[in-house]
Amino acid sequence: MAGAVAEGGADTAVTVAPFHGFLWRDAEEGAENAEGTAGAEGATGAQATVDAGNAAATARSGSGGYGVNHDKSFRPRRQDRPQDLLETGAAYAMDAAGFREHGHRFFGRTELVRTDPARVLEVDDPHDLARARALAPSSTPRAPARCRPPRTSTRSYSTSTAPRPTTGC
């Protein structure tokens, strides 16, 4: 991650994971701020226009929601859509001088550091945190036996006093 900035020539770096989902917004919330919301969340140019157009059309039709990253009248299979990348929030790196100058973490050339989507969880409320804690033991690879600290016990089954090898840990 830091290498993308320190050695790779990027000004900033962010961890991302492949994402193929269709995003939706509630028409009641989106219609009130259709134009302002698209720009405020970082969409610019064509995407901001699509968001605002979808919100306005949905508001006129009275239907319950509108597509943010798609037009609901055209639904290709998820795997046929261009792959989007979801910011994971797991790690960021940036040039310190650039951060001080710009006052925010994304400026200049941003390197996208891909991460395993199976290890990405959104944690926004206590229920998400409980799920993350429950899944953590199954997603954390266990260290090889030679790398684990010895178990403490009142019995000793080994008479060897040689230190355990730690190569490769």
Side-chain angles (χ1 to χ4, degrees):
M1 167 61 78
V5 174
E7 301 157 5
D11 298 302
T12 62
V14 58
T15 52
V16 295
F19 174 76
H20 295 281
F22 291 98
L23 299 177
W24 290 85
R25 285 213 180 102
D26 187 347
E28 290 179 16
E29 295 172 14
E32 296 170 5
N33 303 316
E35 292 179 25
T37 301
E41 292 181 1
T44 58
Q47 186 59 49
T49 303
V50 168
D51 288 352
N54 284 345
T58 299
R60 285 191 302 273
S61 70
S63 59
Y66 66 94
V68 174
N69 64 346
H70 68 285
D71 180 347
K72 68 181 183 178
S73 67
F74 174 68
R75 289 292 299 236
R77 296 179 313 160
R78 289 167 46 123
Q79 60 269 35
D80 291 337
R81 297 180 62 229
Q83 183 180 69
D84 289 321
L85 297 169
L86 178 67
E87 180 180 332
T88 69
Y92 301 93
M94 66 214 68
D95 175 72
F99 177 70
R100 284 191 290 274
E101 177 186 343
H102 295 277
H104 54 84
R105 68 181 128 191
F106 297 115
F107 54 88
R109 185 173 79 80
T110 300
E111 183 73 25
L112 304 176
V113 180
R114 295 170 192 267
T115 190
D116 180 2
R119 299 180 58 86
V120 175
L121 288 173
E122 295 284 325
V123 179
D124 296 317
D125 63 38
H127 296 97
D128 295 335
L129 183 57
R131 186 168 56 114
R133 286 181 173 151
L135 292 171
S138 65
S139 67
T140 304
R142 189 171 168 141
R146 71 178 187 279
C147 299
R148 286 185 240 130
R151 294 179 189 217
T152 57
S153 173
T154 55
R155 294 180 170 170
S156 176
Y157 294 102
S158 172
T159 57
S160 171
T161 58
R164 295 173 68 136
T166 58
T167 306
C169 298

